[in-house]
């Protein structure tokens, strides 16, 4: 599941659509959101370096950590020393409110705004200006792909929660959606701390994302001490698919020195998946369907009604010793009835296994008492 | 006809009387009389029409609550708009999409006649006498009922206007201009003919909704629908998509949107038009969301379906074809005190 999300970030945007947006949300119970974010960040970096990703550059908007933590060696101590210029950082951490520039005249302010070439980061001095921030992001993106207009880059916003401190929800949503609809942006990822904001705010940001990753504490460790929760937890990823369905996957993760390990989790409801039944009949001891042979036999059973509507009368065994009839049958002579119907000789058909034994309630009933009782009224 | 002769009183205010508002039923293409003196307009989907009581009453407001994760409200809007254009009813469409005209290109075309006929065929007639074996005495009633249905059908096709509702032939209406279907079958795979798109007017609020201007446009649209009595009337359709989406909320506050809704409801009620508004309810404050829901005459909501949900796959036999759920919260009760509440319906995606 983590690979599926990493693949989504790697594959990027299809033509004519907005860039896919992955949202990582965590709460106080598990503080592992940043670690998960870093995991996806480093996997995207390795994909970009190897050339497997659609994006050829990456812009990290650093709001929560120093820019060096992104450009430095891989966070887990392996790999080469520095990342190339395909990674650019918009530094909103060092001086977001412009305190360092206050009192300095305009000329110096302009010069300090220029990109710091050695550290490949662009310092943003005014975080309350979202259009300026958008422009800086796009400018860094251009720099990361060496100013080629057709090549795309990915964007990572380290913490949208920090942005929400300074901006209202409509402004932020317009910033995020304009970032997504920019042609050169291939994929966007952001981190939000869900318990810092109203549910409506979180819902609006989820509305804009294609995948939402819920970082949750492990179910069984909730009662134990919270210390263990930093290292372990559960990930639940909900992805919006094109056909309108939502795919939800759950995995457990374990943060170690070398990185984050994901182990798939078997949910209780998946342990015993209900059988895919063709009909909604409940499972019972006996079989309610008929086999082919049984169907055939059923069609051959003669029903114990005198009239089948065919104009014939079925003569059935009714439990009474009818000596007269049996004698006549032995002789093969048909006895005529008042209604002038033809007696049908019942012979067991070949292979018929069904028989109906019909015993009359009382011997007083005349043979045709099933008919309308008003028939014999003579008014 | 046999049915009319049995009645002891005759309904007033029908036929060629004054159109629009007030007493009579509307005589317009795509409009049929409903109960309680209301004229109905089709939603575009036969099943939805049946669920909401025959169609959308003219002058009512339909609101659809969107799901954050699934775009099914667009599907419903497509059917609604396509039905209006097929009946040459003027359409006004406003959306936060950057180009609503492009969305109009995705409207479905009418399904070919052969396909739609096969769907409207009744249940398999039990031909042959050996269908009923145990209840063989009822065979003679079956054939009588079939003959009765056929006679009724033939009579309704011959007369100019149909007054008696009967389940099988209700769909077929005939006006002076020839017969047409009240609710068409649409084929999502084919786009609607370009010539029919002329009657559609679009508005985009991708850069924020300017409610004053939007309201004026709606008023303009609706005032053009008015016709002097005696002429055939037209019913207009308004479709507003994702009205409280984040893009719209940039330029207006919650309360301004509510005032806009109130004004719109008044406009729609006083004219020959029908409005469908979709909105993502979870993006509003809870108190605001409740207020929006109270504005609706017909309130629906769509929900997404989880993919590969084994529990649901076991419960529903056609799980693979379902893409979402349609829930009906409120139905229109115009000119009546009776209030319907249906709880849960499942919608199958027919594409």
């Amino acid at each position: 599941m983590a690979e599926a999300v990493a693949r989504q970030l790697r594959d990027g945007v299809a033509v004519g659509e907005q860039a896919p947006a992955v949202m990582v949300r965590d709460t106080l119970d598990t503080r592992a959101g940043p670690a998960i974010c870093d995991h996806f960040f480093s996997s995207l970096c390795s994909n970009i370096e190897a050339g497997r990703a659609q994006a050829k550059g990456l812009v990290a908007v650093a709001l929560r950590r120093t820019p060096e933590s992104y450009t430095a060696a891989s966070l887990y101590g392996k790999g080469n020393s520095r990342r190339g210029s395909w990674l650019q950082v918009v530094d909103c951490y060092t001086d977001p409110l412009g305190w360092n520039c206050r009192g300095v005249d305009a000329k110096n302010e302009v010069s300090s705004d220029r990109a710091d070439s050695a550290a490949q980061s662009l310092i943003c001095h005014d975080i309350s200006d979202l259009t300026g921030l958008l422009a800086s992001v796009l400018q860094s993106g251009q720099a990361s792909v060496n100013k080629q207009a057709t090549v795309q880059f990915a964007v990572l916003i380290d913490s949208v929660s920090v942005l929400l401190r300074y901006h209202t929800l409509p402004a932020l949503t317009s910033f995020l959606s304009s970032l997504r609809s920019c042609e050169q942006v291939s994929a966007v990822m952001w981190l939000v701390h869900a318990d810092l904001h109203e549910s409506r705010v979180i819902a609006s940001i989820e509305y804009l994302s294609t995948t939402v990753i819920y970082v949750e504490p492990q179910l069984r460790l909730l009662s134990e001490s919270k210390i263990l929760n930093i290292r372990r937890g559960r990930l639940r990823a909900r992805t919006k698919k094109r056909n309108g369905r939502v795919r939800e996957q759950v995995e457990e993760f374990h943060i170690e020195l070398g990185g984050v390990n994901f182990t798939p989790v078997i949910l209780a409801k998946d342990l015993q998946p209900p059988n895919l039944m063709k009909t909604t009949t409940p499972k019972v001891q006996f079989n309610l369907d008929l086999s082919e042979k049984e169907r055939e036999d059923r069609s051959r059973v003669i029903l114990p009604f005198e009239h089948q509507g065919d104009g014939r009368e079925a003569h059935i065994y009714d439990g009474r010793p009818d000596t007269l009839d049996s004698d006549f049958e032995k002789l093969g002579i048909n006895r005529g009835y008042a209604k002038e119907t033809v007696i049908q000789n019942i012979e067991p058909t070949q292979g018929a296994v069904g028989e109906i034994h019909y015993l009359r309630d009382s011997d007083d009933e005349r043979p045709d008492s099933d008919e309308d009782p008003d028939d014999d009224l003579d008014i | 006809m046999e049915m009319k002769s049995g009645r002891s009183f005759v309904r007033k205010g029908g036929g060629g009387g004054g159109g629009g508002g007030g007493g009579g039923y509307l005589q317009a293409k795509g409009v049929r009389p409903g109960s309680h003196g209301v004229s109905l307009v089709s939603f575009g989907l036969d099943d939805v029409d049946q669920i909401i009581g025959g169609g959308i009453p003219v002058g009512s407001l339909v609101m659809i609550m969107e799901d954050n994760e699934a775009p099914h409200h667009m599907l419903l809007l497509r059917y609604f708009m396509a039905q209006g254009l097929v009946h040459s009813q003027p359409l006004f469409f406003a959306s936060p999409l950057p180009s609503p005209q492009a969305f109009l290109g995705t409207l479905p075309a009418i399904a070919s006649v052969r396909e739609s006929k096969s769907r409207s065929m009744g249940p398999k007639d039990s031909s042959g006498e050996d269908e009923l074996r145990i209840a063989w005495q009822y065979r003679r009633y079956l054939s009588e009922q079939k003959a009765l249905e056929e006679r009724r059908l033939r009579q309704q096709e011959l007369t100019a206007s149909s007054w008696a509702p009967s389940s099988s032939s209700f769909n077929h209406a005939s006006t002076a201009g020839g017969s047409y279907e009240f609710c068409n079958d649409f084929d999502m795979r084919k786009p609607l003919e370009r010539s029919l798109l002329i009657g559609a007017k679009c508005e985009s609020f991708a850069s924020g909704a300017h409610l004053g201007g939007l309201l004026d446009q709606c008023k303009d649209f609706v005032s053009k629908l008015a016709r002097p009595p005696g002429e055939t009337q037209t019913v207009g359709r308004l479709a507003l998509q994702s009205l409280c989406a984040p893009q719209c909320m940039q330029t207006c506050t919650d309360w301004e949107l509510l005032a806009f809704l109130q004004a719109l409801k008044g406009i729609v009620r006083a004219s020959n038009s029908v409005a469908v508004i979709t909105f993502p309810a979870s993006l509003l404050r809870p108190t605001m969301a409740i207020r929006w829901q109270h504005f609706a005459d017909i309130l629906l909501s769509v929900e997404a379906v989880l993919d590969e949900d084994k529990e649901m796959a076991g419960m529903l036999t056609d799980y693979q074809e379902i893409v979402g759920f349609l829930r009906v919260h409120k139905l229109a009760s115009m000119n009546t005190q009776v209030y319907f509440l249906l709880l849960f319906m499942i919608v199958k995606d027919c594409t």
Side-chain angles (χ1 to χ4, degrees):
Chain A
M1 175 225 85
E3 293 87 42
V5 177
R7 233 179 298 133
Q8 202 184 13
L9 286 171
R10 181 197 72 192
D11 294 337
V13 64
V15 175
E17 287 185 0
Q18 285 191 326
V22 175
M23 167 174 158
V24 179
R25 55 172 277 179
D26 73 344
T27 57
L28 191 61
D29 291 331
T30 155
R31 271 112 36 213
I36 302 292
C37 212
D38 288 337
H39 167 86
F40 288 117
F41 169 69
S42 47
S43 81
L44 188 58
C45 284
S46 54
N47 278 332
I48 292 177
E49 256 181 314
R52 288 189 294 253
Q54 188 197 42
K56 299 286 177 269
L58 178 58
V59 176
V61 181
L63 291 143
R64 190 178 53 87
R65 287 194 306 215
T66 61
E68 283 74 29
S69 55
Y70 299 97
T71 57
S74 165
L75 294 160
Y76 304 111
K78 54 179 191 280
N80 41 11
S81 55
R82 285 184 73 83
R83 296 192 164 119
S85 68
W86 50 264
L87 173 65
Q88 296 280 334
V89 181
V90 175
D91 179 9
C92 305
Y93 177 80
T94 323
D95 189 19
L97 295 173
W99 290 339
N100 290 346
C101 304
R102 219 171 277 175
V104 185
D105 46 309
K107 196 181 83 173
N108 286 349
E109 241 183 82
V110 167
S111 61
S112 63
D113 269 354
R114 251 184 290 129
D116 192 352
S117 56
Q120 61 199 86
S121 68
L122 178 68
I123 303 178
C124 167
H125 287 284
D126 189 9
I127 204 177
S128 55
D129 176 20
L130 271 182
T131 37
L133 184 61
L134 184 65
S136 316
V137 169
L138 294 178
Q139 187 186 350
S140 303
Q142 302 273 349
S144 72
V145 293
N146 295 329
K147 307 230 181 346
Q148 299 164 49
T150 50
V151 182
Q152 292 169 315
F153 57 89
V155 180
L156 163 74
I157 301 179
D158 199 336
S159 186
V160 168
S161 294
V162 177
L163 280 180
L164 277 170
R165 277 188 230 161
Y166 303 101
H167 298 285
T168 58
L169 178 64
L172 184 74
T173 47
S174 71
F175 168 71
L176 292 177
S177 55
S178 45
L179 200 59
R180 279 186 74 199
S181 36
C182 179
E183 280 165 5
Q184 270 195 288
V185 172
S186 140
V188 193
M189 185 162 85
W190 55 68
L191 168 71
V192 185
H193 299 296
D195 41 8
L196 293 179
H197 312 288
E198 283 177 13
S199 56
R200 170 176 79 108
V201 171
I202 303 293
S204 302
I205 303 181
E206 280 180 7
Y207 184 78
L208 293 172
S209 11
T210 47
T211 302
V212 182
I213 299 180
Y214 298 80
V215 184
E216 293 161 352
Q218 270 183 320
L219 288 178
R220 51 180 182 271
L221 288 182
L222 269 178
S223 52
E224 298 174 12
S225 69
K226 302 265 192 204
I227 300 172
L228 286 171
N229 283 344
I230 293 179
R231 298 265 168 226
R232 287 176 186 273
R234 258 161 64 110
L235 272 190
R236 198 159 51 97
R238 285 180 79 102
T239 315
K240 299 179 196 173
K241 294 176 69 174
R242 277 205 182 88
N243 60 0
R245 286 179 166 213
V246 174
R247 181 185 219 103
E248 178 167 309
Q249 283 166 306
V250 181
E251 270 185 5
E252 286 195 352
F253 67 87
H254 181 51
I255 303 176
E256 290 160 357
L257 280 178
V260 186
N261 288 343
F262 295 94
T263 49
V265 137
I266 306 171
L267 296 174
K269 64 175 183 176
D270 288 335
L271 270 176
Q272 285 165 4
N275 297 328
L276 265 168
M277 295 182 280
K278 291 291 174 206
T279 59
T280 46
T281 50
K283 264 193 150 171
V284 286
Q285 293 291 334
F286 50 92
N287 186 12
L288 289 176
D289 289 327
L290 294 173
S291 70
E292 202 44 60
K293 183 170 179 297
E294 286 165 357
R295 237 185 279 267
E296 233 174 287
D297 293 335
R298 182 178 80 165
S299 60
R300 273 196 238 113
V301 167
I302 310 290
L303 294 171
F305 307 123
E306 272 82 5
H307 302 274
Q308 283 284 344
D310 298 334
R312 295 177 297 175
E313 185 165 330
H315 178 66
I316 51 172
Y317 175 65
D318 54 3
R320 281 187 297 203
D322 198 342
T323 51
L324 208 56
D325 273 351
S326 57
D327 283 341
F328 271 72
E329 271 183 10
K330 277 183 207 151
L331 298 173
I333 298 171
N334 285 340
R335 190 178 105 174
Y337 277 81
K339 292 189 180 160
E340 295 184 355
T341 53
V342 175
I343 300 173
Q344 176 199 12
N345 267 331
I346 301 169
E347 288 166 6
T349 51
Q350 286 180 351
V353 288
E355 280 181 358
I356 293 181
H357 300 278
Y358 177 47
L359 297 170
R360 290 205 180 258
D361 293 333
S362 72
D363 283 345
D364 302 334
E365 280 177 30
R366 290 177 297 134
D368 280 340
S369 64
D370 299 313
E371 299 279 22
D372 188 2
D374 291 335
D375 265 351
D376 51 2
L377 280 181
D378 207 1
I379 299 173
Chain B
M1 282 204 301
E2 295 143 38
M3 270 151 287
K4 263 200 173 171
S5 60
R7 291 202 199 143
S8 57
F9 60 91
V10 184
R11 197 176 268 153
K12 256 201 224 165
Y25 288 112
L26 274 183
Q27 291 292 314
K29 188 176 181 196
V31 180
R32 74 174 179 203
S35 52
H36 314 294
V38 197
S39 307
L40 300 176
V41 158
S42 171
F43 195 95
L45 274 171
D46 205 13
D47 300 322
V48 177
D49 274 345
Q50 283 179 25
I51 292 171
I52 60 180
I56 311 176
V58 171
S60 69
L61 191 65
V62 179
M63 298 186 78
I64 301 178
M65 300 202 288
E66 301 172 14
D67 188 68
N68 268 0
E69 292 160 332
H72 300 315
H73 55 279
M74 306 298 275
L75 193 70
L76 291 175
L77 272 180
R78 281 196 187 101
Y79 278 107
F80 176 72
M81 297 201 288
Q83 183 68 71
L85 291 175
V86 160
H87 283 318
S88 35
Q89 292 166 345
L91 172 72
F92 177 76
F93 174 54
S95 143
L97 293 170
S99 79
Q101 282 286 354
F103 182 68
L104 287 185
T106 61
L107 295 183
I110 302 180
S112 62
V113 178
R114 192 171 50 92
E115 286 171 24
S116 55
K117 261 218 172 71
S118 65
R119 274 188 57 200
S120 64
M121 223 165 42
K124 287 197 299 257
D125 35 19
S126 46
S127 58
E129 300 264 307
D130 39 23
E131 272 294 327
L132 293 176
R133 286 195 66 219
I134 297 176
W136 55 271
Q137 309 224 19
Y138 292 104
R139 278 188 210 142
R140 58 171 184 267
Y141 296 116
L142 263 192
S143 51
E144 267 183 34
Q145 191 181 12
K146 252 194 285 180
L148 191 67
E149 282 276 340
E150 281 172 28
R151 213 171 31 227
R152 205 187 296 158
L153 247 150
R154 251 180 281 124
Q155 273 181 340
Q156 285 192 336
E157 280 168 28
L158 287 172
T159 55
S161 67
S162 58
W163 271 97
S166 78
S167 53
S168 55
S169 61
F170 205 3
N171 212 13
H172 210 74
S174 44
T175 55
S179 73
Y180 60 92
E181 297 263 336
F182 175 70
C183 176
N184 292 94
D185 279 331
F186 288 102
D187 187 355
M188 275 290 184
R189 295 167 294 198
K190 294 185 290 199
L192 196 60
E193 289 128 27
R194 310 291 301 183
S195 55
L196 290 174
L197 292 178
I198 294 177
K201 191 164 169 303
C202 294
E203 174 71 20
S204 161
F205 38 79
S207 51
H210 301 282
L211 293 175
L214 194 60
L215 192 64
D216 285 333
Q217 280 181 320
C218 294
K219 275 190 199 158
D220 263 338
F221 176 77
V222 152
S223 59
K224 290 198 187 103
L225 295 172
R227 296 269 189 281
E231 273 185 34
T232 47
Q233 308 281 322
T234 46
V235 173
R237 297 187 183 217
L238 289 122
L240 304 178
Q241 182 225 320
S242 302
L243 198 55
C244 64
Q247 294 97 317
C248 312
M249 299 299 283
Q250 291 168 35
T251 48
C252 53
T253 66
D254 285 336
W255 290 106
E256 284 170 12
L257 260 182
L258 271 186
F260 169 77
L261 268 187
Q262 194 167 12
L264 184 69
K265 183 166 179 174
I267 293 172
V268 166
R269 186 62 76 99
S271 65
N272 294 345
S273 57
V274 164
V276 168
I277 300 182
T278 73
F279 66 102
S282 52
L283 303 191
L284 289 169
R285 290 208 307 264
T287 50
M288 283 295 159
I290 298 289
R291 287 187 170 98
W292 279 62
Q293 290 171 41
H294 274 296
F295 268 118
D297 287 315
I298 297 178
L299 184 64
L300 307 171
S301 72
V302 276
E303 287 168 20
V305 153
L306 275 184
D307 207 18
E308 290 178 23
D309 186 354
K310 297 198 176 60
E311 261 186 301
M312 205 174 289
M315 284 195 294
L316 302 167
T317 51
D318 46 6
Y319 172 72
Q320 297 303 325
E321 287 131 32
I322 294 180
V323 288
F325 291 118
L326 177 76
R327 196 184 285 242
V328 178
H329 295 267
K330 190 160 115 170
L331 288 178
S333 50
M334 299 173 83
N335 298 351
T336 172
Q337 298 282 342
V338 181
Y339 180 69
F340 291 98
L341 180 66
L342 292 177
L343 285 178
F344 205 89
M345 286 289 157
I346 295 179
V347 142
K348 228 197 291 198
D349 185 25
C350 310
T351 54

